[in-house]
Amino acid sequence: MKKLITIILAALYAESSTVLASENNNQTTEKWIATELAFESATDYSATGADNVEMDVVFTHKESHRVMTIPAFWDGGKTFRVRFAPTLEGRWSWTSVCPADKSLADKSGTITCQPYTGNLDIYRHGFLKTKPGVKHLMYDDGTPFFYLGDTHWGMYTEEYDEPGPHAGTTGAKSHFKYIVDRRVEQGFTVYQSEPIGAKFNLRDGRVDQSDIEGFQMADKYYQYIAQRGLVHANAEFFFAADLSKQLATNHQALRHISRYWVARFGAYPVMWTMAQEVDNDFYYEIGNHKLYSYADNPWVKIAEYIHAADAYSHPLSAHQENAVKTSVTGKGCEILDNPRGGGGRSVFADDDVARQAGHTWWAAQWSPALGDVSDPEMIWDYWTSPRPAVNYEGRYCGLWTKDFGSRAQGWISYLSGFFGYGYGAIDIWLYKSSFDIGAPSFDGVDSISISDKMRPWSESVEYPSAHHMRHLRTFMEQFDWWNLVPVLHGNPSYRDVSKGYAYAKTAHRHIFYFYARNRKTGVLRPTATTLTPLTATWYNPRTGTTLPSATLQGGAKGFTLPEKPDADDWVLIVAAE
């Protein structure tokens, strides 16, 4: 019996209608847009699950002969699906392979890929990638990608089809969609999620019929994020402490659920982060977690399984422990006494391990005290790695910092060589969370009271610092920010007067972020690359406005930088006239 193939043009995602076509029809889609093929098995797997049925669809590009092998996923009952986003324009032929279920094998067809006609950068330039030795993320065509993320560890608990009880006066019809839309308007480029509160359960190492409805709900979240043009930096599994010892050593199960996740979501613009704080031992020494140590961390193999299944080679990382416990080589960390902790060293630090596991970027958790950020060892440890680093998780606004701290973290991160920043706000980073809201906090500058922490997402989505993130992005995108090189505290090319600053430079610019609450700056000392005369221009990171430039006259001791316009945080651009 001839099987039917369902083609869903993912430019419309869930809103599209189902189009049925016979095996040999030539379907049409656009470049980088996920297209879905559905297959019906002769066997109903509702009772048993389909863990032992591995199906692939092999896509071959006619003109270039490029081959992409995409894993299919079981979607309950008799249904299997494959999602494919063409990476090249032209004609693709495909053939299904499934040794364990002959009724799913040897199906074939074609897909014609036309140019993308929309205006979203992720489809205009292609999915993200990394390049060894290049410190920033980039689109497929090599265009630098500005990473500005918003944190949603409890994405699956955010109401999709209703506003929910925290919507206030927003007028939201969908809690989830409202925040996504606002973040897009505010200039964010990445949505960061974990499966906390998901309606499926992978802790048993299986995907069974009871999980399918939860995964179909997950599709809606992933599809909407992709539809709005955001990259989805997602954790594939559960919170690391929920990993059982039995599952941690069951590599067949880990491989299966890794492959399933990639099959289901890999045709969207994503980045893989695996799970919560899994690099390097999930705080083995300081918590109740005793399932694995640095030496037997199972997430190295999980990364390898994800990488092996992913035909797109999406950027893959491990959400790191807090930087006081884990960096790249352990420099700048509070070195743990017990060697089970790895001495602060990432389990992916070795290049051979990284290549095998597909680890291509660092998802750091760096949240230094904001009075004076001077972590030169930590900064240089990330900067000297050939892999780009993102400050993936820091202090969340309204929980562990205020608007100043949230804004400052972004600027400090980018000027310290972390070419990416993960913003977060109360009741958004983890919806309806009571975590750490019963006591005040201090970020090194500001005190965050208990009453400060009692804010619903309908208020925190409009925190001024969220709007200030657009100014950070707008400023950086005016020049070649990807060429910034951090200049550490104590560098002889700059004599600081105020300790509260971050400083980076390109071949033609010096960028200072002065955040100490005074007007002090410093002296830029002449070097072989210093040009004269220089201009100094102040940029307000709170308003996005630029003040008139002034000429700096150099002396024997260098160029004295002008005082800040006021005691708030300011950015100073020093460049050749």
Side-chain angles (χ1 to χ4, degrees), residues 305-384:
Y305 300 143
I306 292 168
H307 178 56
D310 180 13
Y312 297 95
S313 296
H314 293 295
L316 183 151
S317 188
H319 183 162
Q320 292 195 292
E321 298 172 333
N322 192 283
V324 299
K325 299 299 181 185
T326 303
S327 61
V328 178
T329 68
K331 292 180 180 178
C333 298
E334 299 173 359
I335 303 301
L336 303 180
D337 294 332
N338 192 313
R340 293 184 68 89
R345 182 180 177 85
S346 164
V347 294
F348 297 95
D350 293 333
D351 289 340
D352 288 343
V353 174
R355 279 192 294 269
Q356 182 68 20
H359 185 283
T360 58
W361 62 287
W362 299 106
Q365 188 179 165
W366 185 47
S367 50
L370 295 171
D372 175 24
V373 178
S374 55
D375 293 339
E377 284 191 302
M378 176 78 63
I379 293 169
W380 212 245
D381 198 31
Y382 281 104
W383 181 251
T384 54

Side-chain angles (χ1 to χ4, degrees), residues 466-531:
H467 296 275
H468 298 163
M469 291 299 97
R470 175 174 284 282
H471 303 324
L472 168 63
R473 178 182 173 187
T474 299
F475 175 88
M476 291 293 181
E477 290 183 337
Q478 293 178 25
F479 65 93
D480 54 343
W481 57 266
W482 53 90
N483 288 326
L484 284 168
V485 176
V487 180
L488 302 185
H489 285 226
N491 190 289
S493 65
Y494 175 67
R495 181 173 64 83
D496 54 274
V497 177
S498 173
K499 298 294 183 181
Y501 71 93
Y503 168 26
K505 63 181 180 180
T506 67
H508 305 292
R509 291 180 180 85
H510 301 261
I511 309 296
F512 294 88
Y513 174 62
F514 293 106
Y515 56 87
R517 291 179 174 174
N518 56 51
R519 298 186 64 187
K520 297 178 180 178
T521 55
V523 176
L524 185 62
R525 291 173 171 171
T527 66
T529 58
T530 302
L531 302 175

Side-chain angles (χ1 to χ4, degrees), residues 66 142 164 168 180 192 209 231 234 275 282 290 293 324 370 407 413 430 524 535 546:
R66 179 179 182 182
V180 171
Q192 300 180 173
Q209 189 67 39
V231 173
N234 67 100
F282 192 66
K290 303 294 181 184
S293 69
V324 299
L370 295 171
R407 179 175 63 251
S413 295
L430 188 56
L524 185 62
T535 60
T546 301

